[in-house]
Amino acid sequence: MRLYQGRQLGTIKGGSPNVRKVRLLAAELGLELEPVTMDITKGEYRLPEYLAKNPNGKVPTLEDDGFVLWESAAILRYLAGKRPEKSLLAAGPRSEALLDQWLFWWTSHPEPALWQLASEKLIKPRFGRTGNDASIVANAHADLARFLPVLDRKLDGEFVLGRLSILDFAFAPWLEAAPGLAVELGAHSNIASWLARLRARPYWNEV
Ligand SMILES: N[C@@H](CCC(=O)N[C@@H](CS)C(=O)NCC(=O)O)C(=O)O
């Protein structure tokens, strides 16, 4: 399987958190990925041959024997489905709906707020654009102040759903990047100890 990813540009560990979600899950599942690394500064995300795979011109994109898939959360589901014995998805309508509830919650609320901070503080300045817009930064922090406590309360077990699931891989890379975006996680002790548990997995710090 090929994973289209970007060259590391900034200071975020492992580069794009959306790509790192996929690499971490593949490592957990023992699935081999062949990385195809593109350079956004050379316009490689907008090349017609890449846009034919992912019309958004974004990463990650997965290619598996002619099957092309984008959106990191969808890719996590697909990879986990290849290793059903690892039980990182959910079984039964209620469990599946709850997994989706948390996945949609993550991609609707905390992740866009973290993305806005990355955009204002790292990406725009890196591309010579004016970043650090005070009102965007303040809105993002307000959203995180609202939604991170929801996750902190949910994390009273070992992992987001109690057992390990794709949710841990969807959430953790952005939260690991949070301190570099001036988001303090110190007040969220369950989030901090859950991240420490994930970091203890043998591959985590290498991916
Ligand atoms: N919702 C998408 C977001 C993908 C995304 O925004 N990727 C960033 C890297 S983290 C990107 O490709 N940015 C380049 C651009 O927007 O032009 C996903 O989860 O896969």
Side-chain angles (χ1 to χ4, degrees):
M1 277 181 292
R2 277 198 196 126
L3 176 67
Y4 292 84
Q5 60 179 16
R7 176 169 81 77
Q8 169 129 19
L9 289 176
T11 49
I12 292 183
K13 179 179 164 48
S16 154
N18 291 318
V19 174
R20 191 155 175 260
K21 295 173 189 178
V22 176
R23 288 202 308 261
L24 285 166
L25 181 66
E28 172 71 30
L29 296 171
L31 292 170
E32 197 150 327
L33 294 175
E34 179 195 332
V36 180
T37 303
M38 300 180 301
D39 190 336
I40 196 172
T41 66
K42 295 187 179 148
E44 290 178 358
Y45 291 24
R46 302 294 163 107
L47 290 174
E49 52 270 36
Y50 185 63
L51 290 175
K53 297 181 201 301
N54 184 339
N56 305 290
K58 283 176 171 275
V59 291
T61 301
L62 187 80
E63 194 169 32
D64 183 13
D65 203 14
F67 173 65
V68 175
L69 188 64
W70 39 264
E71 277 300 325
S72 56
I75 297 172
L76 295 184
R77 266 194 176 282
Y78 179 69
L79 293 183
K82 283 180 165 277
R83 288 278 187 272
E85 69 281 9
K86 297 268 190 177
S87 302
L88 297 188
L89 292 170
R94 290 188 179 179
S95 300
E96 284 175 32
L98 285 172
L99 189 145
D100 278 348
Q101 168 191 282
W102 283 103
L103 199 51
F104 294 146
W105 169 83
W106 174 260
T107 57
S108 304
H109 303 305
E111 188 171 278
L114 289 163
W115 188 87
Q116 291 282 13
L117 291 177
S119 171
E120 291 305 308
K121 289 172 185 285
L122 304 177
I123 300 166
K124 285 185 182 173
R126 174 70 180 72
F127 288 93
R129 292 163 58 200
T130 311
N132 288 303
D133 180 303
S135 106
I136 296 177
V137 169
N139 280 338
H141 280 292
D143 276 355
L144 292 170
R146 176 173 175 187
F147 294 115
L148 289 186
V150 175
L151 178 59
D152 198 57
R153 284 193 294 274
K154 172 68 180 158
L155 272 167
D156 57 356
E158 223 180 318
F159 298 108
V160 179
L161 290 181
R163 62 175 177 87
L164 190 70
S165 74
I166 61 168
L167 296 181
D168 301 288
F169 296 86
F171 299 2
W174 274 106
L175 288 167
E176 280 200 302
L181 302 171
V183 175
E184 283 312 320
L185 296 177
H188 308 301
S189 59
N190 287 340
I191 292 179
S193 46
W194 160 76
L195 284 176
R197 269 193 296 283
L198 290 171
R199 285 195 192 108
R201 301 183 91 71
Y203 54 83
W204 194 273
N205 293 311
E206 315 304 322
V207 173

